[in-house]
Amino acid sequence: MNRYLVWLVLFLVWLGSLGAAPSAVQTYSQATEFAKTGQTYFAFMHYNELLRDYPESRYRQQALFAVGEYYFKI
């Protein structure tokens, strides 16, 4: 019985970790919201996260351009 309880707990922990990471759409959406509100540093961080975690995303070109703009401004 104790063995089944351990497996159940491990399964539940694994199941809970599946939804922990944001998707490319969520990351891009957060980045654009930060950019719209003038919080360029946070937008930059999210665009970099998008490029690092989702290099083949459909938002790649927009993120590259936004990162380039950030570097140009500083």
Side-chain angles (χ1 to χ4, degrees):
M1 183 67 172
N2 194 15
R3 185 176 77 193
Y4 294 114
L5 182 60
V6 170
W7 280 108
L8 178 63
V9 169
L10 288 174
F11 176 74
L12 291 175
V13 168
W14 174 77
L15 191 61
S17 69
L18 288 178
S23 68
V25 175
Q26 291 170 326
T27 304
Y28 181 74
S29 177
Q30 289 173 337
T32 55
E33 285 300 314
F34 281 124
K36 286 178 186 176
T37 60
Q39 299 177 14
T40 55
Y41 180 72
F42 293 110
F44 172 76
M45 289 185 347
H46 280 81
Y47 285 127
N48 272 337
E49 179 183 340
L50 179 74
L51 293 171
R52 182 190 66 232
D53 294 344
Y54 307 100
E56 301 298 323
S57 168
R58 64 180 178 173
Y59 303 109
R60 184 175 189 276
Q61 295 297 322
Q62 293 94 325
L64 285 171
F65 186 80
V67 168
E69 279 187 322
Y70 178 80
Y71 281 126
F72 178 75
K73 287 179 183 179
I74 60 168

